[in-house]
Amino acid sequence: MDRFKRIFPALALCLLPLSYSEARQAQPCEDAMLQSLSAQLGQRGWSSPSENAQGPLVAAACKPWPDDPNLSVVTLAYQDAKNSSSPGDRNLNWLVAKVDTRSGQLRERYDDYLGEDSALVLDADSLRLDTARYHLAPGMRAFGVVVSSVARGASCPDAGSNDLLTLVVPKGAKLRPVFSTYLHAWTTVKGTSCVMDSDFQSEQAELTLAIAPTRSHGYADLLVSARVRAGQEENVLRTVSTTVRYDGSQYPFKQFATFWTREEQP
């Protein structure tokens, strides 16, 4: 199942502010870890992904698990060695997992695909792990994976988004996604982006996630907040928040959230 096809085909990706890109910390994977995972996944010939690398491992991130020094969390995007599709046309295998830090042995995992297209292209830095304190229930701590695209997108978009955050929780030997949304989005307020004399105006939002004190169906409610700015301005126009409640199987929420837009405001 390709959950990363765009909801609205006309949307393009918004460019992230430079300060955001610089704030990211490196999450490298040791070579021994990559070789262990490669063998378990039936692959070979992996090396750490880099900007100019053309190997089968497109992107990777590894991070210690805060609750247990013997465990790490990892995420990988890779294509089979016999597949030589070009960026933008690849159907990448996507792994999210907890592993034994020393051996690299898989403990809990989630497997999916990342189907590239005009709106989604990955490079070496496209995957990032989020191990914030997502304590959703007693003994239940989620972690997140952020997928960032470097695709050029549409040439004259009305809106756009990037940095898709997905939260996963354990279920036996598996991990399952329970929440997903883009962390950066923008939309047209007035005019047309490609017409210079259309008095074009846009707004962009940076979304953050927090754990609310209330619960639904045994899981903590999520508080999603958006800091909204006009175009590329630095000053925040408004901060808008909404509460998302677990329905027994997931947190129902739009990947391209609109609760922060003018049309949704009372």
Side-chain angles (χ1 to χ4, degrees):
M1 177 180 61
D2 183 3
R3 300 186 307 109
F4 287 81
K5 293 293 185 182
R6 299 305 298 269
I7 300 174
F8 305 109
L11 300 184
L13 304 173
C14 77
L15 298 177
L16 301 183
L18 181 60
S19 59
Y20 178 82
S21 299
E22 292 176 340
R24 291 185 176 182
Q25 296 181 349
Q27 297 179 343
C29 297
E30 295 184 358
D31 184 67
M33 175 73 75
L34 293 179
Q35 299 312 313
S36 175
L37 292 171
S38 173
Q40 293 176 73
L41 296 170
Q43 306 295 312
R44 64 180 182 177
W46 278 5
S47 58
S48 296
S50 62
E51 182 178 354
N52 298 319
Q54 300 297 318
L57 183 60
V58 175
C62 296
K63 193 174 183 181
W65 182 238
D67 289 350
D68 188 342
N70 296 313
L71 296 177
S72 297
V73 288
V74 304
T75 181
L76 311 171
Y78 62 97
Q79 58 181 348
D80 297 329
K82 296 181 180 180
N83 191 330
S84 58
S85 300
S86 302
D89 294 323
R90 300 173 297 194
N91 192 33
L92 300 173
N93 301 293
W94 183 39
L95 173 73
V96 181
K98 279 186 183 178
V99 302
D100 182 274
T101 300
R102 289 188 176 182
S103 67
Q105 187 67 34
L106 289 163
R107 294 291 187 84
E108 301 163 357
R109 61 188 289 180
Y110 171 69
D111 295 270
D112 205 340
Y113 296 95
L114 298 172
E116 292 185 322
D117 54 21
S118 61
L120 178 67
V121 177
L122 272 61
D123 69 2
D125 298 319
S126 286
L127 296 180
R128 180 167 56 90
L129 292 157
D130 180 359
T131 55
R133 296 175 181 175
Y134 297 120
H135 294 286
L136 301 183
M140 176 72 71
R141 179 171 180 166
F143 69 94
V145 180
V146 179
V147 179
S148 302
S149 175
V150 296
R152 296 180 62 183
S155 60
C156 191
D158 295 322
S161 57
N162 205 349
D163 287 359
L164 183 58
L165 168 68
T166 299
L167 292 185
V168 296
V169 298
K171 183 180 181 181
K174 301 289 186 178
L175 296 170
R176 67 181 183 92
V178 293
F179 174 84
S180 184
T181 195
Y182 288 100
L183 298 178
H184 291 80
W186 72 271
T187 188
T188 298
V189 174
K190 182 180 179 181
T192 305
S193 61
C194 294
V195 180
M196 298 301 295
D197 60 353
S198 67
D199 195 22
F200 174 71
Q201 296 179 19
S202 66
E203 289 184 348
Q204 63 170 316
E206 178 182 349
L207 275 61
T208 57
L209 194 62
I211 302 298
T214 53
R215 293 182 178 275
S216 302
H217 294 92
Y219 274 38
D221 297 337
L222 300 179
L223 182 65
V224 184
S225 300
R227 293 192 300 172
V228 184
R229 296 179 172 87
Q232 299 298 317
E233 298 293 330
E234 294 185 1
N235 294 332
V236 176
L237 292 176
R238 61 186 182 274
T239 299
V240 187
S241 298
T242 187
T243 299
V244 188
R245 295 175 174 83
Y246 189 70
D247 66 4
S249 61
Q250 63 179 342
Y251 291 91
F253 197 69
K254 294 180 179 179
Q255 288 187 349
F256 186 83
T258 59
F259 70 95
W260 56 272
T261 61
R262 293 186 186 183
E263 291 79 3
E264 299 290 337
Q265 302 305 299

